[in-house]
Amino acid sequence: DAGVIQSPRHEVTEMGQEVTLRCKPISGHNSLFWYRQTMMRGLELLIYFNNNVPIDDSGMPEDRFSAKMPNASFSTLKIQPSEPRDSAVYFCASSLLTTGSGELFFGEGSRLTVL
Amino acid sequence: SQQGEEDPQALSIQEGENATMNCSYKTSINNLQWYRQNSGRGLVHLILIRSNEREKHSGRLRVTLDTSKKSSSLLITASRAADTASYFCATERGGGSEKLVFGKGTKLTVNP
C-alpha cells in the first residue's frame, strides 16, 4: 500500500507566485483533509472533502487559498498569490470515514517556504 | 480553534522509564485519538478511544479517558530511544462532525 502521496516535498518560492500542492489519497478512502502545521499555530485544519465534495472550508485562511478534488484519487491546494506568512508544512490526510469515527492517514507533507 | 491541549509541552526521560502525556479538551467528543510525529515526517495514528471507553491498551501504550474531567492520558511504558517524537491528541466532536482538531503536542525525548 503506497499510502498518501504528496508533492512536492519541498517548495521554495517568491512572494506573489502561485503555489500548487498535490495529494493522492489512499485508494478506497472517501474523505480527504488538508492541514497546515506551523510552530506558532500547530496543526490547523484548512478544508476537508467527503466523496470529493468540500464539506467544511472554514479553516481556509483567505481567498488566496483554494482547494479542489476533481476525482477520488487527486486533490490540489493552491495559494495565489503566496505570501511569506504562508510558509508552513502542509499535510494531506485521507480516511475511510463513517459518521463519527475514523483514523487519519497522513502524507509526509509539503514544506513551503515563501521568500 | 484548538480543542486538545497537551501537557507537558516537552518531556525528557531515560530509556526504560515510563512517559506520561496528558491532553485536556473543552467540548463533548465522539472519540479521542493519539498520533505520533517523527521529526520531518507525517503524523501516524497510534490509538483511538471512544467516549464510552475509559481505558485502552495497545502494546506498550495505555490510554485513559475521563469524560467528566475532559481529559486523556497517554502512557508509554519501558520507553526506547526510538520513541523520541512529538505526540498529539486529536478530538472529534459530537454532533456528526468528522473534523479532527489537534493539540500542539508534547515533544518527547528518550535518552539512551
Side-chain angles (χ1 to χ4, degrees):
Chain A
D1 195 347
V4 176
I5 299 173
Q6 291 187 245
S7 64
R9 289 295 313 277
H10 301 274
E11 173 104 4
V12 179
T13 190
E14 292 191 346
M15 184 173 65
Q17 297 297 307
E18 177 179 296
V19 173
T20 299
L21 308 178
R22 298 173 177 80
C23 175
K24 177 178 168 54
I26 292 173
S27 177
H29 281 188
N30 61 354
S31 291
L32 183 140
F33 302 76
W34 282 101
Y35 283 87
R36 176 172 69 176
Q37 186 177 37
T38 60
M39 289 292 292
M40 290 295 294
R41 301 172 70 92
L43 267 163
E44 302 172 277
L45 177 64
L46 301 178
I47 185 171
Y48 80 94
F49 297 83
N50 186 251
N51 293 321
N52 312 338
V53 175
I55 302 301
D56 187 338
D57 65 354
S58 60
M60 295 286 262
E62 47 199 273
D63 292 346
R64 296 185 298 106
F65 285 69
S66 63
K68 294 182 179 179
M69 191 164 187
N71 56 62
S73 58
F74 184 65
S75 177
T76 60
L77 178 67
K78 187 173 292 187
I79 309 171
Q80 166 64 14
S82 57
E83 297 182 2
R85 60 189 166 130
D86 302 331
S87 297
V89 182
Y90 291 81
F91 286 101
C92 174
S94 70
S95 181
L96 181 59
L97 277 179
T98 56
T99 300
S101 66
E103 68 177 270
L104 299 188
F105 293 80
F106 282 78
E108 296 286 25
S110 294
R111 180 175 294 275
L112 172 66
T113 302
V114 183
L115 303 173
Chain B
S1 63
Q2 294 292 341
Q3 166 76 318
E5 293 290 338
E6 291 90 342
D7 168 59
Q9 290 187 338
L11 180 62
S12 182
I13 60 174
Q14 297 298 123
E15 234 177 359
E17 293 180 340
N18 295 343
T20 300
M21 289 159 271
N22 303 297
C23 170
S24 59
Y25 57 92
K26 296 176 182 174
T27 63
S28 64
I29 59 171
N30 280 339
N31 65 64
L32 185 144
Q33 303 180 35
W34 285 91
Y35 286 78
R36 164 196 170 123
Q37 184 180 32
N38 285 60
S39 181
R41 306 295 299 274
L43 281 77
V44 175
H45 179 264
L46 294 176
I47 196 164
L48 179 154
I49 187 165
R50 300 189 189 285
S51 59
N52 61 354
E53 297 176 309
R54 293 295 166 259
E55 187 170 314
K56 206 162 182 179
H57 297 254
S58 176
R60 292 184 298 114
L61 304 181
R62 174 180 168 246
V63 170
T64 62
L65 179 64
D66 187 334
T67 53
S68 66
K69 294 182 179 177
K70 292 187 169 59
S71 68
S72 173
S73 67
L74 171 67
L75 168 68
I76 304 174
T77 60
S79 64
R80 306 165 182 168
D83 295 327
T84 295
S86 291
Y87 292 81
F88 297 85
C89 70
T91 52
E92 182 175 347
R93 303 182 190 184
S97 169
E98 297 170 320
K99 297 197 298 187
L100 271 188
V101 181
F102 286 82
K104 289 194 175 181
T106 292
K107 187 175 175 65
L108 173 66
T109 302
V110 182
N111 301 298

